[in-house]
């Protein structure tokens, strides 16, 4: 079945990680995504874990895409890119501001040949302003958005996530921005340029910390695994050395938890009636909940919380995730055939549509696997392809 984005052609000329992941999401739902790689290969091919020299991150990030090698720093590469953009719906790029313009590939040029083109420009700090030309990675966004300052133990340093949090959030936002621009094009008939700064989506998702500073002069403090809004809320160790996460965002859940652990006297305290009041007494609540959990194995703790209709989850590793019955029921992890590695398991698409579902069509392909096929559609015959390969424009 064709996905809901079937018929949309996307050129993914971005690298590491927000722009390419946005293109992956579009590919998962049927868009034709042409991945432009430098002839030496996209950097993600050598990023992170590998098996037999084959990068595993690429297998996920490159899924559903056609790999085309093209050196955009050459006149031939630029001319081919202009041809491809003239026939595309979307281009996603993350070069430093001014780079496309220097190559003769800026939006004012591309839209002359394709007024319906949507150009998504994903950078660390946006297309203008004093930081626009700085190298921009998700780590910098995690630092400057306020995330790191409010993450970590109270007496410890600001803490960064061990994965591309800001990039992932920016990727989701980029995909949303692309679809928004395409919807506007359906109405008005012309494309537009998207300026997405990686730092801004995370800044928004952190909640009202800017508003609290503006109105109250408050700056969030680090609370470890606790919350400043409710308690008990923490990670607790079980008798068999497992870990479980407990959340009591709802008042009724907090009451069930304290009844379950045999401390109903807390419910009558005036401070227990609000999340903020409970957060102010987190030491007492953590001691009560933590000591009860510490005397029991993980499975027993989870079962007891479920029976009490209280919110709990075990802390999982990848090994736990692939064996979990809920993830199996949702098909959150799927097996994808791969020409280089054989069957491989990876995360499935982000959501399920009842009538027009998406799906993973193939894993990240070998470098340049579709160069000849794609360029042939833009008038590059075999002799021309041979010349381009000899001059290093393609591989």
């Amino acid at each position: 079945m064709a996905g809901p984005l079937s018929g949309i052609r996307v050129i993914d000329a971005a690298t590491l990680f927000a722009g390419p992941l946005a293109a992956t999401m579009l590919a998962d739902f049927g868009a034709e995504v042409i991945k432009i790689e430098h002839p030496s290969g996209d950097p993600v091919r050598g990023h992170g874990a590998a098996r037999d020299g084959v990068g595993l991150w690429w297998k996920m990030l490159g899924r559903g895409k056609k790999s085309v090698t093209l050196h955009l720093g050459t006149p031939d590469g630029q001319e081919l890119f202009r041809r491809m953009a003239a026939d595309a719906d979307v281009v996603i790029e993350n070069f430093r501001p001014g780079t496309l313009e220097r190559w003769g590939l800026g939006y004012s040029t591309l839209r002359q040949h394709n007024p319906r083109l949507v150009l998504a420009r994903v950078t660390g700090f946006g297309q203008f302003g004093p930081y626009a030309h700085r190298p921009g990675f998700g780590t910098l966004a995690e630092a400057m958005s306020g995330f790191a300052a409010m993450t970590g133990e109270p007496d410890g340093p600001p803490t960064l996530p061990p994965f591309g949090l800001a990039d992932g959030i920016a990727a989701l936002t980029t995909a949303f921005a692309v679809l928004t621009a395409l919807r506007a094009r359906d109405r008005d008939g012309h494309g537009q340029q998207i300026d997405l700064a990686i730092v801004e989506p995370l800044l928004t998702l952190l909640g009202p910390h800017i508003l609290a500073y503006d109105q109250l002069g408050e700056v969030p403090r680090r609370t470890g695994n606790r919350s400043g809004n409710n308690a008990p809320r923490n990670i607790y160790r079980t008798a068999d050395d497992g870990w479980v996460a407990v959340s009591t965002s709802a008042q009724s859940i907090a009451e069930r938890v304290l009844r379950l652990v045999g401390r109903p006297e807390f419910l009558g305290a005036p401070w227990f009636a609000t999340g903020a009041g409970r957060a102010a007494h987190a030491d007492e609540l953590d001691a009560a909940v933590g000591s009860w959990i510490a005397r029991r194995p993980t499975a027993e703790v989870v079962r007891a919380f479920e029976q009490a209709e209280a919110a709990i989850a075990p802390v999982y590793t990848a090994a736990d995730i692939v064996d979990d019955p809920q993830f199996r029921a949702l098909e959150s992890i799927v097996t994808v055939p791969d020409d280089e590695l054989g069957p491989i398991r990876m995360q499935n698409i982000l959501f399920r549509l009842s009538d027009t579902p998406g799906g993973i069509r193939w894993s990240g392909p070998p470098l340049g696997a579709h160069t000849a096929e794609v360029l042939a559609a833009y008038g590059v015959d075999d002799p021309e392809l041979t010349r381009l390969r000899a001059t290093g424009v393609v591989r």
Side-chain angles (χ1 to χ4, degrees):
M1 182 182 297
L5 300 182
S6 177
I8 299 296
R9 177 171 292 167
V10 179
I11 298 176
D12 172 11
T15 60
L16 298 176
F17 284 97
L21 182 55
T24 302
M25 296 171 185
L26 299 175
D28 284 345
F29 287 92
E32 179 190 8
V33 177
I34 300 171
K35 174 67 181 179
I36 301 297
E37 300 189 63
H38 188 277
S40 62
D42 189 285
V44 80
R45 289 183 180 271
H47 200 91
R51 177 185 156 205
D52 299 332
V54 178
L56 300 181
W57 207 325
W58 165 253
K59 289 300 177 184
M60 180 180 174
L61 197 62
R63 71 192 196 190
K65 302 179 183 180
K66 297 178 179 179
S67 172
V68 174
T69 56
L70 196 61
H71 191 338
L72 296 180
T74 65
D76 281 332
Q78 292 154 11
E79 173 55 29
L80 284 169
F81 189 87
R82 280 189 286 270
R83 273 192 247 171
M84 296 171 71
D87 194 37
D89 296 284
V90 180
V91 170
I92 302 175
E93 64 96 8
N94 70 337
F95 299 104
R96 290 198 204 183
T99 301
L100 285 189
E101 286 74 13
R102 189 171 68 250
W103 288 339
L105 303 174
Y107 190 57
S108 60
T109 299
L110 297 180
R111 74 183 306 176
Q112 290 178 14
H113 304 282
N114 183 0
R116 292 173 56 81
L117 179 69
V118 171
L119 175 62
R121 315 193 76 167
V122 185
T123 57
F125 303 105
Q127 294 294 310
F128 57 91
Y131 303 156
H133 290 276
R134 289 184 180 180
F137 296 101
T139 297
L140 309 187
E142 288 146 10
M144 292 183 65
S145 64
F147 173 87
M150 65 175 71
T151 305
E153 294 300 323
D155 57 351
T159 302
L160 295 168
F163 65 100
L165 175 65
D167 280 299
I169 295 171
L172 285 162
T173 310
T174 300
F176 170 59
V178 165
L179 295 178
T180 301
L182 290 175
R183 177 66 184 92
R185 189 185 73 174
D186 289 343
R187 182 189 63 206
D188 301 332
H190 59 80
Q192 60 185 297
Q193 190 169 206
I194 298 166
D195 177 6
L196 190 136
I198 294 173
V199 69
E200 289 184 307
L202 181 56
L203 181 67
T204 295
L205 262 67
L206 289 175
H209 67 303
I210 300 300
L211 187 58
Y213 175 74
D214 176 66
Q215 295 296 303
L216 304 172
E218 293 181 356
V219 174
R221 59 186 179 87
R222 292 188 285 283
T223 59
N225 289 319
R226 289 178 172 176
S227 168
N229 301 312
N230 63 80
R233 191 266 198 180
N234 214 325
I235 299 288
Y236 305 94
R237 194 167 199 160
T238 62
D240 54 354
D241 289 329
W243 296 91
V244 292
V246 172
S247 174
T248 58
S249 296
Q251 181 69 24
S252 60
I253 299 294
E255 294 172 3
R256 291 171 194 166
V257 169
L258 270 298
R259 288 194 185 99
L260 172 64
V261 303
R263 300 299 299 273
E265 68 273 16
F266 281 116
L267 277 61
W271 52 262
F272 194 86
T274 66
R278 288 186 275 112
H281 291 78
D283 287 343
E284 301 162 64
L285 295 172
D286 274 346
V289 175
S291 62
W292 187 90
I293 289 175
R295 298 192 299 271
R296 294 163 173 82
T298 304
E300 180 183 333
V301 171
V302 171
R303 185 165 53 251
F305 267 71
E306 289 181 344
Q307 289 173 350
E309 297 185 352
I312 193 169
V315 175
Y316 274 177
T317 66
D320 300 311
I321 292 168
V322 298
D323 287 333
D324 183 84
Q326 181 63 28
F327 285 128
R328 286 201 300 269
L330 294 175
E331 297 185 336
S332 304
I333 309 299
V334 292
T335 299
V336 180
D338 183 80
D339 292 339
E340 295 176 289
L341 299 177
I344 57 177
R345 287 184 291 182
M346 66 176 68
Q347 297 94 316
N348 205 346
I349 60 177
L350 290 173
F351 50 85
R352 289 163 289 280
L353 296 176
S354 61
D355 294 341
T356 56
I360 300 172
R361 288 171 286 177
W362 59 81
S363 59
L367 178 61
H370 303 92
T371 298
E373 169 196 331
V374 170
L375 293 187
Y378 295 97
V380 177
D381 57 18
D382 289 343
E384 179 69 0
L385 185 62
T386 299
R387 183 187 72 81
L388 292 171
R389 283 178 171 153
T391 55
V393 177
V394 304
R395 175 173 171 173

